[in-house]
Amino acid sequence: MINYIFRRLIQTLVVIVALSFFCFYLMTLMPGDPVDLMVQSNPRITAEDIVRLRALYGLDQPAHVRYGRWVKDLLQGDFGYSRTYRIPVTELMGPKLINTFVLSVAALMLSLAIAVPLGILTALKPNSRFDTVVNFFAFAGISAPTFWLGMVLILVFAVGFKILPASGTFTIGEEFGFWGGLWDRAKYLALPAATLAHIEIGVFLRFTRSAMMEALRQDFIRTARAKGLARWQVVIDHAFRNALLPLITILALSLGGVFSGATITETVFAYQGVGKLVYDSIIANDFNVAMVSFLISVSMILFFNLVADILYGFADPRISYR
Amino acid sequence: MALQTRESATAEGPSIAAPNAPQFLPLWRLAWSNFLEHRMAVAGFGVILLMVTIALSAPTITRLSGIDPDEQNPLNRYLTPWSTVSLSSRQMESLMDQFIEQKPEVAKALQRELVGQGGIPVSAGGSVDTSADATGVERPEDALYGLLRLEKPAQKEILKKLSSPGKKDLKELLQGTTTLHVLGTDELGRDVFIRLVWGTRVSIGVGILVAVAAALLGLLVGAAAGYYGGWIDILLMRVTDSLLSLPQLPILIVVSAVSLSKLEELFPPLRLFVTPANESIVKLVFVVVLFSWMQVARLVRASVLSLKEREFILAAKTLGAADVHIIFRHLFPNVLAPLLVSVTLGVGSSIQAEAALSFLGLGIQQPTPSWGNMLFNALEIMQEAPVLIVVPGLLILATTISFNSLGDGLQEAIDPRALRR
């Protein structure tokens, strides 16, 4: 087991390093480097200046040399400066990570609270009218494009009813005190969390339903019924406990998104999270920020994939690790 | 294993399928009746057929409606649905100028008839030269231009009375002076309806192209890995698994932000099939295919692993068939059915990926319309023109639901486990 975890950790690290080089290389292929931008903003720049600036930033070196230099700086704790915001990357990342965490956890809680009970109920009465309706909505939830659903929610709740703010993270320039501030955050959180939750609801629901149906078919359920246990006890204690297994895995998989951010949702709602940062920095050619946020995003997902695999082993002793 | 049972049924015909079946039906009939029972799948199939028809007939629709999808009209931005726009009087007059220049004889005949009928304000407006009347020289323009200034119902009234051969031309010209925007106009004053029609062509085309390309790639990789085994299998499956575990969107964003012109400096042959006009489409298809073949590869590998141990493969080998022959003629036909399902499901997710990337501004670039990039600009102005958001989104939703339920239906139709239910 330890051996397995160790090997997987090494594998994950290798993938992360390979990906970071891949990403670094791709970014050199993007239109415009920092000196190009300077040339655009300063028409009086001379050809000698350009050569000097390129040498200063190391842009005259081949990509792998620059990558080596970047990794060295990173390992020494120097994440570099953001070109757009002109502050250190670490300073920029902190609040964004917290924002993303709050948003994703809220969405995850919301989807679990809705999907698991519905999944159990539909599994108890498969092919009933209730089951069909719930299934249809789960299906539609999975099929609806996130960004579009976000826009429709804005249209309905922000433009139509005017009860929730359309975009942003919190009201800027106002003091509410602790509880007021919390309420303010919650209002800004509601729409993005609902948007982010819609796919997870569909996925969790279908998972819970199929896992419950599988569990309810087992012999021990018949035994539990035969010995006269209450219906809810059979369902909750015997069936649901066994259905939890696949749920744990899928939950751990979605935990990866907790820090990696939801680019599309955050962009639609202009929510200041990591996902939006990845997108914004790539578009704005903000090299250091793009690399760091991309790395965080990717490593989180890979790391939680690993956690999911390990958790699965703990939850189901029948699974062996080679 | 469900896969194995299905494979045996397709490989050896009804003799295996028969004991399970109530009647002696061929497998495809069983699958078909099973498919028909899946009502959502049938409905989805209908929607898809409709969409494909629209996509294929986009040029015809453009010709019939006479609206150019790229024509910009800054004066008529964000029109509400079902609004009519008429050309300015100057534009109308230049249209008439063209008509008279191209067909002077027809125009003269029409004019004579119009003057004979009366009721046309020949001398209305300042441009009419009164001296022409005095000298008795016929000027067909006067009556025809006068017709332009009339209200619509009056124009129709007069048109009805005409009998000369130019009537049809004139009618077409008059119809061309007003445009009905069924779904309003967008931020550049372009007609939303006709752009949606062309967007259907682009979105569905890209979706199907990506799904088919990904399936072919996955088929090759999966078959090679499953059939040859050994280090080829290990290598290919490592790549597949690591690609599968990657978070797609951040990587898609990075890859789509790459400028192809910088790549062309490195690989000049790229210039052969990439032009500025199709650059964004080529890039999008490439990027999405890159991340969507892995599921197919695993599926194919799994079925090939079980298939290659079976007798008909052994028979082919004994008869001296080459590996390529065995893979293409004996293995591929047996994985076609599950492949069909994953292509169908793949179209839905490809359309979504296209829409998501285009929505972020990294997919298909304007002026080529796609459902996703129509939504890209709509976010900013959703208060003024909610239609711009609702309609393309509904189309994406309807199409993905249709493809997903069609895939589900096909899966159940060809899966023997579903047959037993």
Side-chain angles (χ1 to χ4, degrees), chain B residues 154-166:
Chain B
Q155 283 182 357
K156 261 186 199 159
E157 198 77 355
I158 291 172
L159 265 180
K160 240 184 244 165
K161 286 189 227 155
L162 289 179
S163 58
S164 75

Side-chain angles (χ1 to χ4, degrees), chain A residues 56-67:
Chain A
L56 183 70
Y57 285 108
L59 290 172
D60 51 348
Q61 306 284 330
H64 62 270
V65 176
R66 279 154 67 190
Y67 177 72

Side-chain angles (χ1 to χ4, degrees), chain B residues 280-301:
Chain B
S280 65
I281 297 183
V282 169
K283 211 161 73 179
L284 182 98
V285 169
F286 175 76
V287 170
V288 183
V289 166
L290 199 67
F291 283 97
S292 42
W293 56 270
M294 294 86 74
Q295 297 284 5
V296 181
R298 296 184 92 174
L299 183 89
V300 171
R301 176 178 172 271

Side-chain angles (χ1 to χ4, degrees), chain A residues 12-69:
Chain A
T12 310
L13 268 181
V14 169
V15 170
I16 289 174
V17 171
L19 254 187
S20 70
F21 179 71
F22 172 71
C23 180
F24 193 97
Y25 188 72
L26 282 184
M27 287 203 188
T28 63
L29 292 175
M30 283 179 198
D33 62 20
V35 177
D36 283 347
L37 294 182
M38 281 180 208
V39 174
Q40 272 170 18
S41 57
N42 184 0
R44 285 189 309 175
I45 210 158
T46 62
E48 291 84 48
D49 283 340
I50 294 175
V51 172
R52 198 173 48 79
L53 278 170
R54 279 193 192 282
L56 183 70
Y57 285 108
L59 290 172
D60 51 348
Q61 306 284 330
H64 62 270
V65 176
R66 279 154 67 190
Y67 177 72
R69 199 177 290 169

